[in-house]
Amino acid sequence: DAGVIQSPRHEVTEMGQEVTLRCKPISGHNSLFWYRQTMMRGLELLIYFNNNVPIDDSGMPEDRFSAKMPNASFSTLKIQPSEPRDSAVYFCASSPWLAGGIGEQFFGPGTRLTVL
Amino acid sequence: AQSVTQPDIHITVSEGASLELRCNYSYGATPYLFWYVQSPGQGLQLLLKYFSGDTLVQGIKGFEAEFKRSQSSFNLRKPSVHWSDAAEYFCAVGILTGGGNKLTFGTGTQLKVEL
């Protein structure tokens, strides 16, 4: 299995531009998570999906952030408009359903976003 | 709400020495506990997990962790550290929610290994 795939790996953009981050989870996993990692705030959960349905988006910082999962094999995280404080590494993770428990989360390599 | 505390931001050990990374959690019910490792420029990789049963759990790369309910701790240990263990280590607590589950991570401990 190729693991969780994220694209792009690096993104440099200017303030005000729209940014779209993409994620392909591991086939057969039914949960997908978007995280943001910064030095100041550590690893934060932004939103997660279960069976393509958003379950908890309380970590999404502002309305400028949106996420979709149109099918089981693809998700996007969009920032519009982007701001310098959005600069971070964004991780996508997926996990299988585990009866009565919590499945291991498998992380992608991350997208390093720099907003100038 | 659940939370995880990793009191050591940085730890330096000599290669071959033993290692213990501390983790304390706060959660009202029986926790699901995890340790992840992150190498530079990489995503997080699961080292081990505790759900129930034996409180001493074995993981990959020679790591183990012990769940102590009375101390709300889940410390990670390794008897002999290798230079390749230099990385950042994250403890996490998982909770089941109405529609799924999620993890809350600690702030991480950066491990440096001196040769």
Side-chain angles (χ1 to χ4, degrees), chain A residues 36 46 57-65 86:
Chain A
R36 179 173 67 176
L46 300 177
D57 65 355
S58 60
M60 296 285 262
E62 300 172 34
D63 291 344
R64 298 184 296 107
F65 286 69
D86 301 330

Side-chain angles (χ1 to χ4, degrees), chain A residues 29 94-96 98 102-106, chain B residues 34 36 45-47 49 51:
Chain A
H29 285 189
S94 70
S95 73
L98 182 65
I102 298 178
E104 173 187 349
Q105 290 189 21
F106 292 80
Chain B
F34 302 80
Y36 282 82
Q45 179 186 22
L46 181 70
L47 284 176
K49 60 188 177 186
F51 286 173

Side-chain angles (χ1 to χ4, degrees), chain A residues 9 33 35 37 43 45 48 50 55-56 91 98 100-102 104-105 107-109, chain B residues 32 34 36 38 41-44 46 51 90 94-97 99 101-103 105:
Chain A
R9 291 294 309 276
F33 307 81
Y35 292 90
Q37 187 178 38
L43 195 62
L45 176 65
Y48 75 95
N50 203 37
I55 301 299
D56 184 349
F91 288 103
L98 182 65
I102 298 178
E104 173 187 349
Q105 290 189 21
F107 281 74
Chain B
Y32 295 80
F34 302 80
Y36 282 82
Q38 183 180 27
Q42 312 249 339
L44 280 69
L46 181 70
F51 286 173
F90 294 89
I95 64 168
L96 291 169
T97 67
N101 64 81
K102 63 180 183 180
L103 300 182
F105 285 87

Side-chain angles (χ1 to χ4, degrees), chain B residues 27-91:
Chain B
Y27 184 53
T30 299
Y32 295 80
L33 296 164
F34 302 80
W35 274 100
Y36 282 82
V37 60
Q38 183 180 27
S39 298
Q42 312 249 339
L44 280 69
Q45 179 186 22
L46 181 70
L47 284 176
L48 48 79
K49 60 188 177 186
Y50 171 78
F51 286 173
S52 64
D54 193 346
T55 56
L56 183 64
V57 294
Q58 302 297 320
I60 62 171
K61 304 184 181 185
F63 285 91
E64 66 178 26
E66 186 171 12
F67 170 60
K68 293 185 177 180
R69 183 186 300 275
S70 61
Q71 299 178 18
S72 297
S73 69
F74 189 56
N75 294 348
L76 182 71
R77 301 194 295 248
K78 186 170 185 178
S80 178
V81 170
H82 188 262
W83 64 268
S84 60
D85 293 325
E88 189 155 21
Y89 292 80
F90 294 89
C91 182

Side-chain angles (χ1 to χ4, degrees), chain A residues 1 3-5 23-34 49-53 68-76 92-96:
Chain A
D1 197 320
V4 176
I5 299 172
C23 175
K24 176 178 170 57
I26 294 173
S27 177
H29 285 189
N30 72 327
S31 295
L32 184 140
F33 307 81
W34 282 101
F49 297 82
N50 203 37
N51 294 323
N52 311 338
V53 176
K68 294 182 179 179
M69 192 166 185
N71 57 62
S73 59
F74 184 65
S75 178
T76 59
C92 176
S94 70
S95 73

